[in-house]
Amino acid sequence: MSQRDPQSQASIEAAAGQLEQKYSVIAQLGQGGMSVVYLGTSRGIGNVQKLVVLKSIKPELLSNDKVREMFMDEARLAIRLTHPNIVQTYELAMIDRRPVLVMEYMEGQPLSNVLRTCGVEGLPLAMRLHILAEALNGLDHAHNVSDYDGRPLGLVHRDVSPQNIFITYDGHVKILDFGIAKALDRSAQTEFGEIKGKIRYMAPEQMQGAVDLDRRADVFAMGIMLWEFLTHRRMWQDAKDVEVMTFVISKDMPSPRKYAPEISPRLEAICMKAIQRDPAARYESCAAMQADLERAMVELGLRTSGRELGRLVQEQFTDVRTGIRRAIDTKLKEGDSAPIDLRVDEQGLLIVDLLLPQSRRPYGSATPSAASITEAVPPKKSRWPYALLALLLLGGAAYGAVAYPQYVHLPGKEPPTAAPAPRAASPAAAPSAAPAPESATV
């Protein structure tokens, strides 16, 4: 150890203290199996504030070496990804002895929420295809990103789904969550037979736990989304994961025209090429699929723009957007470090919960104590800072389950002969929280 170590350590501790003063938590946005996501602020000179998203490991998992390794892998990958169609990661910080990913805050909705509110039929076909083309563009960038020495990273997302595609109110389409992405230089490698990702959008080789997974697995997932966009149906209805896996691994995927004969043969061909069981028969890249999709849109006269997409999403989520802005504005004006929880309850109402802090540390206070409470005060009492904001539209959560019309039969079975029942309008059917990612180990 050199003689400068004590001074270096003091400098590190001072920098850490400055970092904790830089970021503060406003609200909890959601959580998954290993991590939790917060809305926070970054403070600069003159007390200038910028909204950011802070993602960190759950406190109870901080001592788990494998979890920390996976999180650091995600951070190393995310920081390298700079593209208009991928959520931007600014830095990896250490706050209150917890590694934290600092990411851009985006006003908008996950595609899953948009589909749940509008239904597939509520989005014009041109917009559906535009969303897929933009997502394919972002994925292709991720697939081709290189290390600083020019060596390809061989990155594969492995969890492409409507939950991980975000649409801003300006109409930009962004790929989210590279948390389980596979790359050649990851420290925490997937073991043979281990499956990561959502079963219902998963390629057969991924289901079988292939260790040499490549970009064509993401092409398959995008093909499933195209199939659902073309047919207005979910590929799977109430099938169990094991039934889905058995079908995908052993059988060819059905043509979308079986369920929607009016589909253009051109779009059918693109879809079927993307969802081939043999990876060698699929598109070799997302760029190739995007090129075919955009050519088909031109040929079929399907024109739209990001501006039109953004306008539609704004119209559908006006109340949700207003409620979230009001809650954030109230919180910023108060200057109280106790975070809040923004979520959607079982009736589709946006709830603002007060999370009682364990400490006053800028980041440590984000962890709610066992005594966390919910203030159920009508929103008209605006002077109460943690009001219940009752909003009639569904959505607003950071993560949401896809809710297409639930009348699709397992591929291979005959579709229903009767007209499908309309989607339930009762708000009580809204999920109370985002479902955990579907996964399995075989």
Side-chain angles (χ1 to χ4, degrees), residues 11 23 30 79 82 114 133 138 182 189 260 264 266 273 304 362 422 433:
S11 299
Y23 297 110
I79 289 173
T82 303
V114 176
K182 175 184 180 295
Q189 294 292 335
S264 159
R266 184 81 173 89
K273 184 170 183 178
T304 191

Side-chain angles (χ1 to χ4, degrees), residues 116-228:
R116 181 174 61 193
T117 300
C118 304
V120 180
E121 66 281 0
L123 284 174
L125 179 58
M127 283 191 184
R128 287 175 251 156
L129 300 184
H130 172 78
I131 291 169
L132 293 181
E134 292 292 289
L136 285 164
N137 193 30
L139 285 171
D140 186 69
H141 171 80
H143 293 161
N144 290 289
V145 72
S146 299
D147 206 344
Y148 300 117
D149 60 3
R151 179 176 54 89
L153 290 178
L155 192 151
V156 185
H157 190 288
R158 294 199 295 183
D159 197 20
V160 178
S161 67
Q163 288 93 331
N164 286 331
I165 295 178
F166 196 88
I167 303 174
T168 71
Y169 293 128
D170 295 328
H172 298 294
V173 179
K174 304 264 189 174
I175 298 292
L176 302 175
D177 199 356
F178 284 81
I180 66 167
K182 175 184 180 295
L184 296 178
D185 71 340
R186 291 200 74 152
S187 301
Q189 294 292 335
T190 300
E191 301 294 336
F192 175 76
E194 183 181 5
I195 297 177
K196 294 183 177 181
K198 295 178 181 65
I199 295 294
R200 292 161 196 273
Y201 294 91
M202 191 177 291
E205 66 272 21
Q206 189 175 349
M207 291 180 175
Q208 294 172 301
V211 295
D212 57 346
L213 208 65
D214 63 27
R215 64 184 67 188
R216 292 171 295 186
D218 290 344
V219 168
F220 185 93
M222 292 299 293
I224 296 293
M225 290 178 58
L226 176 58
W227 192 99
E228 294 180 338

Side-chain angles (χ1 to χ4, degrees), residues 114 118 122-124 127 308-316:
V114 176
C118 304
L123 284 174
M127 283 191 184
E308 292 176 352
L309 174 62
R311 187 181 303 118
L312 183 145
V313 177
Q314 284 186 51
E315 291 172 354
Q316 293 295 326

Side-chain angles (χ1 to χ4, degrees), residues 132-440:
L132 293 181
E134 292 292 289
L136 285 164
N137 193 30
L139 285 171
D140 186 69
H141 171 80
H143 293 161
N144 290 289
V145 72
S146 299
D147 206 344
Y148 300 117
D149 60 3
R151 179 176 54 89
L153 290 178
L155 192 151
V156 185
H157 190 288
R158 294 199 295 183
D159 197 20
V160 178
S161 67
Q163 288 93 331
N164 286 331
I165 295 178
F166 196 88
I167 303 174
T168 71
Y169 293 128
D170 295 328
H172 298 294
V173 179
K174 304 264 189 174
I175 298 292
L176 302 175
D177 199 356
F178 284 81
I180 66 167
K182 175 184 180 295
L184 296 178
D185 71 340
R186 291 200 74 152
S187 301
Q189 294 292 335
T190 300
E191 301 294 336
F192 175 76
E194 183 181 5
I195 297 177
K196 294 183 177 181
K198 295 178 181 65
I199 295 294
R200 292 161 196 273
Y201 294 91
M202 191 177 291
E205 66 272 21
Q206 189 175 349
M207 291 180 175
Q208 294 172 301
V211 295
D212 57 346
L213 208 65
D214 63 27
R215 64 184 67 188
R216 292 171 295 186
D218 290 344
V219 168
F220 185 93
M222 292 299 293
I224 296 293
M225 290 178 58
L226 176 58
W227 192 99
E228 294 180 338
F229 276 8
L230 294 176
T231 62
H232 296 193
R233 304 166 178 262
R234 293 188 66 178
M235 176 69 83
W236 318 104
Q237 188 188 13
D238 297 322
K240 298 178 180 178
D241 284 352
V242 66
E243 295 174 327
V244 175
M245 294 173 69
T246 300
F247 187 99
V248 172
I249 291 172
S250 62
K251 298 181 180 180
D252 292 331
M253 304 300 288
S255 166
R257 296 190 76 188
K258 177 178 179 180
Y259 298 89
E262 72 279 5
I263 292 173
S264 159
R266 184 81 173 89
L267 292 176
E268 176 197 26
I270 295 172
C271 180
M272 293 306 296
K273 184 170 183 178
I275 59 176
Q276 289 295 307
R277 187 150 41 105
D278 181 4
R282 293 179 212 147
Y283 286 102
E284 62 181 12
S285 68
C286 284
M289 182 178 176
Q290 178 192 0
D292 270 4
L293 197 59
E294 290 178 337
R295 278 193 291 267
M297 292 173 67
V298 173
E299 294 171 4
L300 298 172
L302 299 171
R303 294 181 176 86
T304 191
S305 66
R307 184 179 294 106
E308 292 176 352
L309 174 62
R311 187 181 303 118
L312 183 145
V313 177
Q314 284 186 51
E315 291 172 354
Q316 293 295 326
F317 292 92
T318 298
D319 289 346
V320 169
R321 186 185 191 188
T322 301
I324 291 176
R325 281 183 164 182
R326 187 190 312 164
I328 293 173
D329 184 63
T330 300
K331 190 66 183 155
L332 289 175
K333 288 179 179 178
E334 285 176 2
D336 187 355
S337 63
I340 55 178
D341 181 17
L342 298 176
R343 62 184 174 86
V344 177
D345 74 355
E346 294 180 355
Q347 296 183 346
L349 305 178
L350 180 64
I351 307 296
V352 181
D353 289 354
L354 168 62
L355 302 179
L356 295 183
Q358 288 180 333
S359 71
R360 306 298 291 184
R361 298 181 69 87
Y363 199 80
S365 64
T367 305
S369 71
S372 294
I373 59 174
T374 300
E375 295 293 350
V377 180
K380 291 183 179 179
K381 298 181 181 180
S382 57
R383 62 175 175 266
W384 182 262
Y386 309 107
L388 169 64
L389 302 178
L391 305 175
L392 301 179
L393 294 177
L394 298 177
Y399 303 97
V402 186
Y404 293 90
Q406 299 294 311
Y407 53 79
V408 183
H409 283 209
L410 185 70
K413 297 181 181 180
E414 291 302 318
T417 55
R423 293 186 299 139
S426 171
S432 59
E438 300 162 344
S439 60

